[in-house]
Amino acid sequence: MTKKIIAVDLDGTLLNSESKLSDFTKETIKKISAKGHKVIITTGRPYRMALDFYKELELNTPMINFNGSLTHIPEQKWEFEQSLTVDKSFLLDMVQRKEEIEADFIAGEYRKRFYITNTNEEIADPRLFGIDNFKPENQFQAQLVTKNPNAILLQTHATDKYALAEEMNAFYQHELSINTWGGPLNILECGPKGVNKAFALQYLLNILNADRKDLIAFGDEHNDTEMLEFAGTGYAMKNASETLLPYADQQLELTNDQDGVAHKLTELYL
């Protein structure tokens, strides 16, 4: 059997609704890897919020974070690492326009740190950033923004996050990739122009000298559309957003809480 590249989203896909990996999912992924297939975590999460899952699954493959901005092998130097960034001027401008875009918070995301405009934990959930509590060094200050971030994350109280994403894309003249994130949460993520999960997977396939027909992908949200459309076979979860379904080859019969990915991989390869 040809070895497959298996791209898996985390939230709403591989993780259950408690943001955990079930024992069945962990064992299945380990068996799949042992057969020589390459499992690639492909997530909107920053690196620091995906590393523990990578370790739980005992992976040694590349990982894709920030919806495609960062492609790397965790805790290793890798000659093919790709880290793409957004010009910091966009972050500073959004902070100036925070009332206009009805932002609860705006955060500049870097590989190992972030700066957030609102540290009120009743409004901004620290767990979105992989921590229990915000610390003073997390507070956004314009003078701290000396480097370009990998992504800009914002939570809005606008009634339609999809409409806001379109408005912001138009306002910034499509110089950013602005996508929804976080399932039911009103969160937008802004990345480098033209960058998405499919962009990073194409880069990875070139490095691995692999064909997209041997790429399968699993996702549940709007930010998985390009990935599912690009993959040889794209699977939408049973719990997937309606916006994703037209891009999928198949919708699974099981949700993320029913180990949908693990059951499909067992059916296909074990």
Side-chain angles (χ1 to χ4, degrees):
M1 178 190 294
T2 303
K3 302 307 180 187
K4 298 293 184 179
I5 312 293
I6 302 167
V8 286
D9 173 51
L10 287 177
D11 295 279
T13 302
L14 202 65
L15 303 182
N16 62 26
S17 52
E18 295 181 345
S19 293
K20 294 179 179 177
L21 293 165
S22 73
D23 289 339
F24 177 62
T25 288
K26 284 190 277 191
E27 290 310 309
T28 301
I29 295 297
K30 290 172 189 176
K31 289 176 183 176
I32 289 291
S33 297
K35 284 187 170 288
H37 303 293
K38 294 186 183 300
V39 177
I40 311 293
I41 289 176
T42 309
T43 179
R45 284 181 176 233
Y47 168 49
R48 65 180 180 277
M49 288 182 64
L51 180 60
D52 286 349
F53 301 120
Y54 182 91
K55 289 180 173 179
E56 277 188 80
L57 295 169
E58 298 178 10
L59 298 176
N60 58 9
T61 50
M63 177 160 67
I64 294 169
N65 296 102
F66 299 117
N67 284 322
S69 295
L70 179 61
T71 303
H72 63 124
I73 297 181
E75 301 183 327
Q76 288 187 37
K77 285 193 172 180
W78 186 44
E79 62 178 313
F80 300 111
E81 179 172 309
Q82 178 173 252
S83 180
L84 304 171
T85 58
V86 172
D87 193 287
K88 60 183 183 292
S89 64
F90 289 109
L91 171 58
L92 296 170
D93 187 73
M94 286 180 199
V95 171
Q96 290 292 318
R97 300 178 186 279
K98 61 185 177 183
E99 293 183 7
E100 189 179 324
I101 57 180
E102 300 180 76
D104 298 324
F105 67 76
I106 300 170
E109 287 269 21
Y110 299 81
R111 185 191 297 231
K112 294 184 178 178
R113 59 191 166 92
F114 67 93
Y115 301 124
I116 185 170
T117 56
N118 189 344
T119 55
N120 180 342
E121 294 180 8
E122 293 183 2
I123 294 173
D125 187 346
R127 291 173 297 178
L128 289 174
F129 299 89
I131 58 175
D132 295 323
N133 304 101
F134 291 119
K135 298 175 182 175
E137 58 264 32
N138 302 135
Q139 178 68 56
F140 177 90
Q141 298 177 58
Q143 67 269 25
L144 295 177
V145 183
T146 58
K147 294 183 178 180
N148 294 333
N150 287 100
I152 302 166
L153 197 69
L154 67 92
Q155 180 174 291
T156 176
H157 47 271
T159 53
D160 188 337
K161 63 182 176 181
Y162 300 106
L164 177 61
E166 288 184 14
E167 289 171 21
M168 290 178 65
N169 267 317
F171 180 82
Y172 290 114
Q173 300 180 315
H174 299 277
E175 287 300 314
L176 297 169
S177 290
I178 302 178
N179 229 314
T180 59
W181 182 88
L185 299 175
N186 260 16
I187 288 180
L188 300 183
E189 185 169 49
C190 310
K193 180 180 180 178
V195 173
N196 51 48
K197 293 182 179 184
F199 171 92
L201 287 165
Q202 176 68 79
Y203 175 73
L204 200 52
L205 289 178
N206 291 341
I207 291 166
L208 298 173
N209 195 28
D211 194 291
R212 61 188 281 192
K213 68 178 172 49
D214 295 319
L215 171 68
I216 72 171
F218 295 88
D220 73 303
E221 251 290 350
H222 189 263
N223 63 340
D224 297 313
T225 55
E226 295 91 352
M227 174 173 76
L228 264 60
E229 185 175 42
F230 174 72
T233 308
Y235 295 100
M237 304 299 293
K238 176 68 173 176
N239 52 287
S241 163
E242 291 290 325
T243 61
L244 181 63
L245 299 184
Y247 300 89
D249 295 294
Q250 183 181 329
Q251 185 174 18
L252 300 185
E253 295 180 0
L254 299 174
T255 68
N256 60 317
D257 284 323
Q258 297 169 313
D259 297 310
V261 173
H263 281 290
K264 190 63 183 179
L265 290 176
T266 298
E267 174 193 325
L268 291 170
Y269 305 120
L270 296 179

